[in-house]
Amino acid sequence: MSDNNNSVKIGLALGSGAAKGWAHIGVLNGLAKMGVYPDKIAGCSIGAVVGAAYANDNLDELETWVRSFSSWDVLGLMDLSWRKGGLIGGEKVFDVLQKRMGDMQIEDLKKPFTAVATDLYSGQEIWFTEGDLRHAVRASCSMPGILPPVKVADRWLVDGAVVNPVPVSVSRAMGVDIVIAVDLHGLRRGRMQVLPVNMKSNKPTNQEVAEAEKHQELGFTDLLARGRDYITGLTDKFSPSNKTGGHINPNPGMLAVMSQSMEILEQRHKRARLMGDPPDICIVPDLGDIGTMEFHRAEEAIAAGEAAVEQVAHLIEAALAPYR
């Protein structure tokens, strides 16, 4: 892995986004093609997974693995856990990640790395800059309701996206000159809109239907449909949407409620934080309809990440020009 000109230190802030997060791999590939190699990495949720792999020079291995995923492979990594604070235990996938990356301490990684998590009870933002890498990344990925919280010392920790979805502030605190951020949700929802609601009818208006269809997470329905014989009945429990008679079912699935609500909160919080502390460059991949749990669509996400870098390459060059 090459280094940049020693006169500039580049920080990379990798945001949350579940399966969309494979786009981070494409972003890093795109930056490498430009000869740009981030020196310090801050990651939140899936951004912590990819960031840790990059910081330990394991990105190529991670990319090869995720490109091989089928929907069946993703289902096989889901260890259902109904009584531990989340629908999925998460231990299977982190066991595999640990085998591929080794039993690492954060301070032993090849590049400085920070993972962001949230204290469930105090709401405090937690930065992991040392200690067990698996615990740090696992805590950063603990999406409320989906993955159970992680106990570290006397704290119960959940997804860092609750407090800092795109950790620009963390990256700046690591002592860099330029911060490049990757926002995985920027093109999906855009600005929050207040839509008119027809209170005289029980049926949604055409505008409401179109907007809801645009933002529904359809991927998980398709994913579970393929594994119906493998996990009986999960489709009905987790299905994000169920269309009947041309209208949206008023009773969305469990996963849809949790993931969509979480994303709305993240979007509003993220926008406020980025306005107060904007990155020097913000890369926003166009990830279309890739759903929360569609981890088998890595090829599309990686390509979107590379394309997003190409779109802002001139801005990156301009930001680096004073240091060259």
Side-chain angles (χ1 to χ4, degrees), residues 37-54:
Y37 300 91
D39 300 284
K40 301 182 181 184
I41 315 298
C44 174
S45 199
I46 189 67
V49 174
V50 177
Y54 177 76

Side-chain angles (χ1 to χ4, degrees), residues 192-253:
M192 293 293 177
Q193 298 180 0
V194 178
L195 298 177
V197 178
N198 182 359
M199 300 301 291
K200 296 181 180 180
S201 172
N202 292 326
K203 295 182 179 180
T205 64
N206 290 337
Q207 184 179 7
E208 291 170 51
V209 171
E211 193 69 17
E213 287 178 339
K214 179 180 178 182
H215 298 312
Q216 282 293 319
E217 294 280 5
L218 298 176
F220 199 65
T221 301
D222 175 65
L223 177 63
L224 290 176
R226 299 183 193 203
R228 189 176 290 117
D229 294 334
Y230 179 70
I231 306 177
T232 304
L234 282 184
T235 303
D236 292 337
K237 292 180 182 294
F238 296 154
S239 172
S241 66
N242 184 9
K243 299 177 186 178
T244 56
H247 298 298
I248 299 298
N249 190 323
N251 298 308

Side-chain angles (χ1 to χ4, degrees), residues 119-136:
D119 186 306
L120 178 61
Y121 291 105
S122 71
Q124 183 180 359
E125 185 174 335
I126 306 297
W127 296 0
F128 285 96
T129 58
E130 60 183 10
D132 186 84
L133 180 64
R134 173 175 174 150
H135 283 165

Side-chain angles (χ1 to χ4, degrees), residues 174-206:
M174 295 175 75
V176 298
D177 301 302
I178 292 175
V179 174
I180 299 174
V182 184
D183 179 3
L184 300 177
H185 295 297
L187 289 182
R188 182 173 181 273
R189 191 176 295 276
R191 293 186 304 168
M192 293 293 177
Q193 298 180 0
V194 178
L195 298 177
V197 178
N198 182 359
M199 300 301 291
K200 296 181 180 180
S201 172
N202 292 326
K203 295 182 179 180
T205 64
N206 290 337

Side-chain angles (χ1 to χ4, degrees), residues 13-33:
L14 300 178
S16 62
K20 298 177 180 67
W22 299 144
H24 290 317
I25 298 174
V27 167
L28 284 160
N29 289 343
L31 291 174
K33 290 178 181 178

